[in-house]
Amino acid sequence: MTTSAFTKVAEYSGKHPKPADITFAYGTAGFRTIGETLESTVFRVGLLAALRSQSKQGQTIGVMITASHNEERDNGVKLVDPMGEMLQQSWEGYCTSMANAATDDDVVAVLSSIIESEGIDVSIRPKVAYARDTRPSSPLLQAALEDGLAALDVEAINYGIVTTPQLHYFVRCINTADSAAAAYGEPTEAGYNKKYGAAFLRLVEGKPHPSKLYIDAANGVGAPQVRKLAEAINSPYFNIEVCNGDTESLGKLNMGCGADYVKTNQRQPASMTLTPGDRYCSFDGDADRIVYYYADEHGSFHLLDGDKISTLAATYLRDLVSAAGIEDLQVGVVQTAYANGSSTSYIKDTLKLPTVFAKTGVKHLHHEAEKMHIGVYFEANGHGTVLFNAGAIAKLREAKPQSPAQADAVERLWALRDLINESVGDAMSDMLLVETILICKGWTLAQWDEAYTDMPSRLLKVVVNDRTIFKTTNAEQTLTAPKGLQDVVDALVAKFPRGRSFVRPSGTEDAVRVYAEAATRSDCDQLAYSVAGAVFDKAGGRGERPAEFI
Ligand code: G16
């Protein structure tokens, strides 16, 4: 890079000084914190996106400005790699160093050290595709990003306000456009709706129409986008009504609604009353997660979370593979420690499918799923997808169906692959997958729910002075620091039949998460609140102590 290019970077950087008192970290899903503190970080992510594109021989890199499920005042930014997957982890350290460079000269110094360590050819013109969600701080951050892109003369495409998974999809489409074998689709909203809509209609054709699906869009970007998807599908097979679709009023995003609220509180959105027999689902604020739910005839709430989606998808795929008669085409499942114990037993003992555990964060699950022929990965919070690896594709191509039934099963596997956004977990594509399976099986949500009964579980948040003192091992299920705290957790767990609990620092919120499971609801709550109380007392709890369980 020439001296004048570095001078230009330093000049632009001067417009976006780093707040002196904040240390940024590239966490579970990129940078996330209070939106108005992120201007310098987002500017610098623009620079990093340019370098990442050059390091990938000019392929397009994605930048998404969003804080997904977080409260409205937060914002965030993350990079998307060429196949639409999360940024390669070895670059996360570069992101953190860049975000924390104290001065404009330091920014230039970090930039040149990355160029040197990665052997980047800076003569390549970088390409970046970017988008944002509906947060009030997003336009300001977008302007900072555009300065970063301009500083390194990036060829950029602005996708405006789209869901996070849509941006992942666009990036993959752009980078595969020239390959007949790998071409993923048209990199536009219309192309996205056309691809997923057509695959859905192909799979459900001829089956009875389902009842209406009520979609809580968390007052986020999923609302306008799912309406466009419904317009494109334009069929009684996709009869939806959007609830919590207000993206204009301040203070509404993810507030008392959305997938995170529903999963964490184990109840419907505050603004909604459920009618027994009706079907409901919730997206989160950027529509990368989805959970389903319904009320039974007594009005009791029932949640169908990421584990239930995962087992539904795995069952359907396993049965199709068997019907297709393709030998040695394996289906496997990836979960995290948050997976309900009943779901894991069901996968192992009833479905007889292999299951592996990964750390929280879809980037970790994605890599494990890639090792399986057909890898189904979902976090309990509703974030996940299904991957068909190269081995699976080869087996599908080589398949020699011996009967019309086998030919139909092979055709359905291909169609399912077209229905699934393999680049990342995607609420809209996952919803079409669930709808397809339910329509094909003729199932209500209650029938889907019958597969297994969840163990009572509880997820709590504890705010502490410094969550970075929490260190974990064993797929984040065991604390190695603060010293002695894991022993306390173990002693509490031992008191409850079938008890399980773990503590880990969140990578997206300034909090420590406590998960607990036990044989009964009251044991589970008692365990969760006891562990949360111990964390608060022994590791610098701030604000209100988690309420004692009564
Ligand atoms: C992000 C990640 C998810 C993760 C979640 C919570 O979701 O993409 O994989 O489960 O954060 O992570 P943590 O417990 O570390 O805060 P989203 O929907 O917010 O992008």
Side-chain angles (χ1 to χ4, degrees), residues 273-544:
T273 308
L274 307 189
T275 305
D278 280 352
R279 307 184 321 120
Y280 303 87
C281 68
S282 285
F283 296 174
D284 68 343
D286 65 339
D288 58 6
R289 299 193 205 173
I290 182 170
V291 294
Y292 273 72
Y293 43 94
Y294 66 98
D296 63 22
E297 69 272 26
H298 309 295
S300 300
F301 173 83
H302 295 265
L303 178 66
L304 293 146
D305 62 2
D307 297 334
K308 288 270 178 176
I309 296 174
S310 163
T311 47
L312 179 76
T315 307
Y316 191 67
L317 286 159
R318 181 199 66 161
D319 293 350
L320 268 185
V321 165
S322 155
I326 305 175
E327 274 179 27
D328 298 329
L329 177 57
Q330 292 123 14
V331 177
V333 180
V334 187
Q335 300 190 302
T336 71
Y338 290 111
N340 194 279
S342 299
S343 72
T344 312
S345 309
Y346 179 77
I347 295 163
K348 282 190 193 150
D349 305 336
T350 306
L351 298 182
K352 308 243 184 278
L353 293 176
T355 169
V356 298
F357 279 80
K359 282 164 63 174
T360 291
V362 283
K363 59 191 176 195
H364 301 296
L365 288 95
H366 194 96
H367 294 310
E368 288 301 324
E370 277 174 333
K371 296 176 194 160
M372 301 167 164
H373 280 149
I374 301 179
V376 179
Y377 76 82
F378 274 87
E379 296 183 294
N381 63 25
H383 203 172
T385 187
V386 179
L387 304 183
F388 289 66
N389 78 6
I393 300 301
K395 283 184 179 293
L396 279 173
R397 286 214 177 100
E398 287 157 13
K400 297 204 172 36
Q402 304 296 311
S403 66
Q406 286 193 349
D408 180 60
V410 172
E411 161 55 22
R412 297 184 80 74
L413 283 165
W414 281 120
L416 278 171
R417 187 174 178 238
D418 283 344
L419 181 69
I420 291 161
N421 185 348
E422 285 185 279
S423 61
V424 80
D426 179 340
M428 292 203 288
S429 155
D430 290 341
M431 172 185 59
L432 293 179
L433 173 65
V434 169
E435 291 298 297
T436 296
I437 301 173
L438 296 180
I439 291 169
C440 291
K441 286 184 174 284
W443 276 1
T444 60
L445 298 191
Q447 285 170 308
W448 166 18
D449 202 15
E450 279 168 14
Y452 61 87
T453 306
D454 276 321
M455 293 264 292
S457 71
R458 178 74 61 203
L459 180 60
L460 298 174
K461 268 192 263 187
V462 185
V463 181
V464 294
N465 289 329
D466 180 8
R467 76 187 200 277
T468 65
I469 63 171
F470 287 77
K471 307 282 179 218
T472 61
T473 183
N474 180 26
E476 298 186 306
Q477 295 172 93
T478 309
L479 282 172
T480 52
K483 213 166 175 313
L485 190 52
Q486 185 60 45
D487 295 337
V488 177
V489 176
D490 291 343
L492 290 167
V493 167
K495 291 185 189 169
F496 298 92
R498 299 176 68 201
R500 184 166 77 90
S501 179
F502 62 86
V503 177
R504 58 174 284 279
S506 163
T508 60
E509 294 176 60
D510 189 12
V512 170
R513 300 201 195 280
V514 171
Y515 177 82
E517 245 177 52
T520 64
R521 164 57 50 208
S522 95
D523 277 4
C524 167
D525 287 345
Q526 214 168 333
L527 176 58
Y529 282 98
S530 314
V531 173
V535 169
F536 188 91
D537 296 341
K538 296 186 185 307
R542 208 172 56 194
E544 246 175 76

Side-chain angles (χ1 to χ4, degrees), residues 78-265:
K78 68 173 179 181
L79 286 162
V80 177
D81 260 355
M83 282 303 106
E85 71 278 46
M86 300 286 192
L87 175 68
Q88 185 179 302
Q89 278 173 55
S90 62
W91 272 63
E92 292 183 1
Y94 294 147
C95 295
T96 300
S97 308
M98 184 67 111
N100 293 311
T103 65
D104 304 330
D105 287 345
D106 292 344
V107 168
V108 170
V110 174
L111 201 67
S112 33
S113 85
I114 300 171
I115 292 169
E116 203 187 313
S117 340
E118 293 291 322
I120 291 171
D121 177 355
V122 292
S123 68
I124 296 172
R125 177 100 195 263
K127 297 190 199 77
V128 171
Y130 63 96
R132 64 178 173 91
D133 70 11
T134 53
R135 283 163 201 272
S137 56
S138 289
L140 176 83
L141 298 181
Q142 182 185 316
L145 173 70
E146 285 164 348
D147 273 351
L149 301 177
L152 288 179
D153 192 27
V154 170
E155 190 182 321
I157 308 174
N158 175 5
Y159 276 103
I161 298 176
V162 298
T163 72
T164 300
Q166 284 179 314
L167 181 76
H168 285 254
Y169 162 90
F170 299 147
V171 169
R172 184 162 177 153
C173 292
I174 294 169
N175 290 316
T176 54
D178 294 336
S179 152
Y184 206 59
E186 284 169 41
T188 59
E189 282 180 28
Y192 174 100
N193 292 333
K194 193 167 81 185
K195 174 176 174 171
Y196 294 118
F200 170 67
L201 290 175
R202 228 161 98 200
L203 281 154
V204 297
E205 204 184 10
K207 309 279 181 198
H209 297 151
S211 63
K212 185 185 268 188
L213 177 64
Y214 293 88
I215 302 171
D216 155 31
N219 295 313
V221 58
Q225 291 300 342
V226 79
R227 287 193 187 108
K228 289 183 204 172
L229 177 67
E231 267 169 40
I233 293 179
N234 187 25
S235 156
Y237 282 111
F238 193 55
N239 172 15
I240 61 156
E241 184 173 324
V242 175
C243 317
N244 295 321
D246 179 359
T247 57
E248 301 295 323
S249 312
L250 284 181
K252 287 196 158 181
L253 179 68
N254 293 325
M255 182 54 84
C257 59
D260 198 60
Y261 175 89
V262 172
K263 168 70 181 160
T264 310
N265 295 289

